[in-house]
Amino acid sequence: MARRYGMKTPSTLEWDGRCLELLDQTRLPAETAYIDIYTAQALREAIMSMQVRGAPAIGVAAAYGMVLAARTITETSFKAFLRALNKEGEMLASARPTAVNLAWAVGRMMDAARMHGRMPQLLERLEHEAVTIHKEDTQNNRRIGELALGLLKDGYGILTHCNAGMLATTQYGTALSAFYLAQERGISLKAYVDETRPRFQGASLTAYELMQAGIDTTLICDNMAALLMKQGKINAVMTGCDRVAANGDAANKVGTFSLSIVAKHFGIPFYVAAPVSTIDLACSNGSQIPIEERSGEEITRIGKTCIAPEGVKTYNPAFDITPAENITAIITERGIAWPPFRESIKTIV
Ligand code: MRU
């Protein structure tokens, strides 16, 4: 199939009507390899192993996963079909617990099925919904970038954590969208990229996609942020997000919280960029957001090399919660939310 090489970075995912093609992000930046996904179960495994990752990307992938699941359901009554599809949706949604976009996409696909209300053309309706979710993701990210760019100035140094770029979405990204739009408009922004232990999404994905696009990119270790801020190199911090609670507390890749504390110390604006689908009003505050814990091997090994004593105890939470009071603004496709977030978020969702 023809793959889109948008802005030189290969597409995160493509749907060809038969299967979902995923760019295997565990092999970047060394290799550009795609895997073909034909079943919802195979997609679940790809999400868990992080071949596809990033909140919006796993949401869009799950929408297509629901189409693949629906095609395997043999029930002929509408009610039984819905029950079976719901089970597949729960299986997909449980792949990773923190990014609410995953459950959001599954829920939207279920709503589309319920609203269709009958068996004929149901599969076509579901495919249409998944394609719509995909298209909306790209449009939303561009809008987020436009709004974010309005908060930045030519020559700014911007620190980002993890990967909230086009590889974490279908195009542009959320936190990185402003970099791509700035480039289109001849505005120069400098990207400072945290390597992002333990899985190095900053080094292997963010630095990769920004450099592919020719954006001024400097990679740093996670523990260098305070020094760079003290040196005056950072004018703003811009991160993505996996779930925003009703009070503005935001879950993102572990390390984001400490970055927010340091930014506050230096009076540097800390922006969170996320689509509205990342906002979860069912969580009143960040303590209600489930935090994924991953294998300790992500800490003790780098590739095949063991870097810690055999048998050492580990603790590997994949995300942390940045409290609302450390966030300057939350940038969504429907507008920018400013504190107090409990009020401003309500006007956006
Ligand atoms: O564990 P990952 O790589 O899926 O974590 C990704 C992040 O933390 C991103 O910042 C977040 O999903 C937002 S992506 C636009």
Side-chain angles (χ1 to χ4, degrees), residues 50 53-56 96 162-164 168 174 201 241-242 252-253 319:
M50 294 175 63
R53 32 67 52 205
R96 295 192 75 189
C162 195
N163 175 263
T174 55
Q201 291 95 326
C241 177
D242 289 80
N252 192 47
K253 181 54 55 193
F319 300 93

Side-chain angles (χ1 to χ4, degrees), residues 278-290:
T278 307
I279 299 173
D280 184 2
L281 295 181
C283 289
S284 173
N285 60 60
S287 69
Q288 292 163 8
I289 299 177

Side-chain angles (χ1 to χ4, degrees), residues 11-330:
S11 336
T12 307
L13 54 84
E14 292 286 351
W15 173 249
D16 78 351
R18 230 168 21 102
C19 78
L20 177 63
E21 292 207 343
L22 294 180
L23 176 65
D24 185 348
Q25 299 196 29
T26 61
R27 290 159 83 168
L28 288 172
E31 264 179 87
T32 303
Y34 280 83
I35 46 171
D36 293 344
I37 300 288
Y38 287 94
T39 65
Q41 186 58 45
L43 177 60
R44 182 174 198 270
E45 280 154 29
I47 292 172
M48 289 176 74
S49 64
M50 294 175 63
Q51 286 169 304
V52 60
R53 32 67 52 205
I58 60 178
V60 176
Y64 287 121
M66 290 292 275
V67 178
L68 295 171
R71 287 178 181 174
T72 64
I73 296 172
T74 50
E75 309 291 349
T76 48
S77 94
F78 182 64
K79 256 188 164 176
F81 181 93
L82 275 191
R83 257 198 312 275
L85 187 63
N86 193 47
K87 221 169 141 201
E88 294 289 313
E90 281 171 2
M91 179 272 292
L92 276 171
S94 67
R96 295 192 75 189
T98 304
V100 74
N101 313 60
L102 184 54
W104 169 86
V106 167
R108 188 162 148 180
M109 293 298 287
M110 283 307 299
D111 287 347
R114 275 188 215 102
M115 277 158 70
H116 188 69
R118 58 198 156 80
M119 285 309 283
Q121 276 93 49
L122 181 52
L123 294 183
E124 290 84 342
R125 174 71 192 89
L126 285 171
E127 184 175 11
H128 175 78
E129 190 68 11
V131 170
T132 305
I133 289 173
H134 186 164
K135 282 191 189 143
E136 284 175 5
D137 180 65
T138 300
Q139 288 160 4
N140 292 344
N141 296 334
R142 191 166 168 97
R143 182 69 191 136
I144 287 170
E146 272 162 5
L147 291 173
L149 199 50
L151 302 171
L152 308 172
K153 293 199 179 113
D154 199 16
Y156 261 24
I158 298 157
L159 178 62
T160 190
H161 191 68
C162 195
N163 175 263
M166 59 176 76
L167 291 166
T169 62
T170 55
Q171 264 292 358
Y172 302 110
T174 55
L176 300 192
S177 183
F179 287 95
Y180 295 115
L181 297 200
Q183 201 190 37
E184 276 177 31
R185 292 165 194 188
I187 298 165
S188 105
L189 299 177
K190 288 186 183 56
Y192 289 92
V193 179
D194 272 356
E195 61 179 349
T196 317
R197 281 286 284 148
R199 289 188 66 107
F200 297 105
Q201 291 95 326
S204 64
L205 306 177
T206 299
Y208 164 76
E209 65 165 81
L210 291 174
M211 287 180 72
Q212 289 284 105
I215 290 163
D216 182 342
T217 303
T218 304
L219 180 65
I220 61 168
C221 296
D222 296 336
N223 47 5
M224 296 173 184
L227 178 65
L228 269 80
M229 289 185 193
K230 174 118 179 110
Q231 290 172 338
K233 291 184 163 69
I234 308 297
N235 302 100
V237 178
M238 181 81 70
T239 74
C241 177
D242 289 80
R243 196 183 297 222
V244 183
N247 71 339
D249 290 351
N252 192 47
K253 181 54 55 193
V254 69
T256 307
F257 174 29
S258 43
L259 211 53
S260 77
I261 295 170
V262 185
K264 194 172 186 179
H265 174 84
F266 287 106
I268 293 170
F270 187 97
Y271 299 119
V272 169
V276 168
S277 56
T278 307
I279 299 173
D280 184 2
L281 295 181
C283 289
S284 173
N285 60 60
S287 69
Q288 292 163 8
I289 299 177
I291 300 292
E292 176 183 6
E293 249 187 72
R294 296 186 61 90
S295 159
E297 286 202 353
E298 290 186 347
I299 300 179
T300 58
R301 292 180 182 274
I302 295 185
K304 290 194 172 106
T305 310
C306 188
I307 55 150
E310 209 56 59
V312 70
K313 280 199 285 184
T314 56
Y315 174 49
N316 185 18
F319 300 93
D320 60 23
I321 309 288
T322 298
E325 64 263 25
N326 291 1
I327 298 172
T328 308
I330 301 171

